[in-house]
Amino acid sequence: MAAITCLLAGCSDALIPGQIQALEVYRVVFAHSSIESCTHIEPSNAERDHAGILHVQLNLRSTTDADQYIDAFISFKLDGQFVEKLKPQRAVLKGNLTTTLLFNSTQPADDYSIHLDYAK
């Protein structure tokens, strides 16, 4: 709930064009507590290029020996306003191995949130 509260409260880091920044984990929202309890999320890296396109890298892993099948949805914002939501990326989190997901906005953006859910 703290992650959702922080997102709704407008927590954000200013993304400076051309600089890579490690951003807080609160930008990730879990659809189920079982995903959250079995997944380790590293602070994501985000870079906003000179055209305003946001590039996000999320490193995550299953903290168990079992594989997890998830869908990752990303939404982008610009100046606090919704810009776009991309199609989900399906990922298989192998037991105790890191998986990297890459997202790129298609229009200028300065903030994002990632929603993780079980793959359907």
Side-chain angles (χ1 to χ4, degrees):
M1 291 310 290
I4 294 170
T5 304
C6 192
L7 284 171
L8 294 176
C11 297
S12 68
D13 300 309
L15 290 173
I16 301 167
Q19 289 187 346
I20 297 174
Q21 293 177 268
L23 302 174
E24 299 300 321
V25 177
Y26 63 72
R27 286 183 163 78
V28 177
V29 178
F30 297 89
H32 304 278
S33 61
S34 58
I35 297 174
E36 183 174 13
S37 65
C38 295
T39 306
H40 172 75
I41 306 284
E42 295 178 11
S44 55
N45 291 318
E47 177 181 13
R48 188 172 180 214
D49 65 23
H50 293 289
I53 302 301
L54 193 58
H55 308 277
V56 178
Q57 174 183 324
L58 180 68
N59 297 317
L60 63 164
R61 69 177 170 81
S62 173
T63 58
T64 69
D65 290 329
D67 294 348
Q68 292 187 66
Y69 298 85
I70 62 165
D71 285 333
F73 302 84
I74 190 165
S75 296
F76 292 100
K77 294 179 184 176
L78 181 63
D79 297 326
Q81 299 296 314
F82 174 80
V83 174
E84 67 180 323
K85 181 176 182 177
L86 300 183
K87 292 181 181 180
Q89 281 193 38
R90 175 131 322 141
V92 178
L93 305 183
K94 299 286 185 183
N96 287 311
L97 295 176
T98 300
T99 299
T100 300
L101 300 177
L102 302 173
F103 303 94
N104 299 302
S105 66
T106 61
Q107 12 187 345
D110 61 8
D111 200 5
Y112 68 94
S113 63
I114 300 172
H115 180 94
L116 298 179
D117 198 353
Y118 288 114
K120 308 267 188 272

